Amino acid sequence: MDRAEFMALDPSKKAEKLNALIAEGKSQKEAMDACNVTIRDLMATQVLFSKSEGAFISKAVGGFSNFHSDTTAEAAK
């Protein structure tokens, strides 16, 4: 599969494809190299590598979110 075909897939399909390569015994980098993509390409399409799971996951995180916002204004600036 070339890069253009891979990038046309939806994020969950990208993760499935990369995880199939990992299941074959490839490392994270080898799986990405096989699809001709970089970590930047994956991050842009919300596909991340979970080191704790040892697998690629697709996250549905739309836009920027500040998960640590402090509405009390007591946090150090």
Side-chain angles (χ1 to χ4, degrees):
M1 173 175 288
D2 69 14
R3 183 181 185 283
E5 292 172 328
F6 181 82
M7 293 303 286
L9 296 173
D10 106 349
S12 62
K13 295 293 182 191
K14 285 181 178 94
E16 285 176 22
K17 174 69 176 162
L18 290 165
N19 287 330
L21 293 167
I22 286 179
E24 293 174 5
K26 294 189 183 297
S27 69
Q28 173 190 358
K29 179 154 179 29
E30 290 169 335
M32 291 187 309
D33 288 347
C35 296
N36 299 306
V37 293
T38 65
I39 198 74
R40 248 185 197 180
D41 295 328
L42 296 177
M43 289 176 67
T45 60
Q46 300 177 351
V47 175
L48 310 168
F49 186 77
S50 171
K51 288 186 181 185
S52 63
E53 296 177 30
F56 287 90
I57 55 173
S58 78
K59 293 275 196 181
V61 179
F64 175 78
S65 296
N66 184 353
F67 296 107
H68 302 288
S69 66
D70 181 85
T71 58
T72 63
E74 293 177 6
K77 302 284 182 202

